[in-house]
Amino acid sequence: MNSLLHSAPAVGFPVGRSRFEAWVSALAWLGGAAACGGWLWQASTWGWRQGLAVALVLGTGAWAFRAWHASTAAVLHWDGQNWWRETGQAAQAGRVAVYLDFQNYLLLSLSTDQGSRDWFWLERRAAPAAW
């Protein structure tokens, strides 16, 4: 019976900037900005709390855009035994965990042997044959 079971074939899938990630982040940021805007509109006076809220909304938007823009292109590769994140100059081995599965989009993390964790949104349209 064990001879019928075999490991999954080797596969590589491109990871990098995800349009889906950009849309999810933008919608989340817009929701927070709208909530903050509603609070500011209701406020009778402006003080340090309102200034802090505006700074945090602007800061989180800038941080999210920078993080999305800085994401590097790589290939998430399964060689039959291990997961690898391969860039043009390096490869890191690690363990993959899936957190969200929307059929055409996956949010997963790669925990490397060095203790770091990288997050990726995979999109089916990036490599339909490998999906």
Side-chain angles (χ1 to χ4, degrees):
M1 185 69 166
N2 285 342
S3 63
L4 296 176
L5 302 175
H6 60 280
S7 63
V11 67
F13 201 87
V15 294
R17 280 190 209 141
S18 165
R19 285 189 280 174
F20 185 73
E21 175 188 4
W23 279 105
V24 168
S25 295
L27 289 174
W29 182 83
L30 285 172
C36 182
W39 176 59
L40 293 174
W41 186 62
Q42 294 288 328
S44 58
T45 60
W46 279 58
W48 68 270
R49 290 175 183 89
Q50 289 78 9
L52 179 62
V54 169
L56 288 174
V57 166
L58 294 175
T60 56
W63 173 80
F65 177 77
R66 185 179 181 286
W68 176 79
H69 197 280
S71 49
T72 59
V75 175
L76 191 60
H77 182 75
W78 170 254
D79 64 8
Q81 293 184 346
N82 298 306
W83 284 101
W84 296 86
R85 177 180 179 252
E86 298 175 352
T87 61
Q89 60 268 36
Q92 289 182 305
R95 293 172 310 284
V96 168
V98 176
Y99 289 89
L100 294 174
D101 183 350
F102 295 123
Q103 297 301 309
N104 291 321
Y105 307 98
L106 284 175
L107 175 63
L108 55 87
S109 71
L110 176 74
S111 299
T112 65
D113 298 335
Q114 291 80 24
S116 68
R117 179 176 289 182
D118 296 317
W119 292 86
F120 305 102
W121 278 102
L122 274 58
E123 298 183 18
R124 179 182 195 150
R125 70 173 158 228
W131 195 260

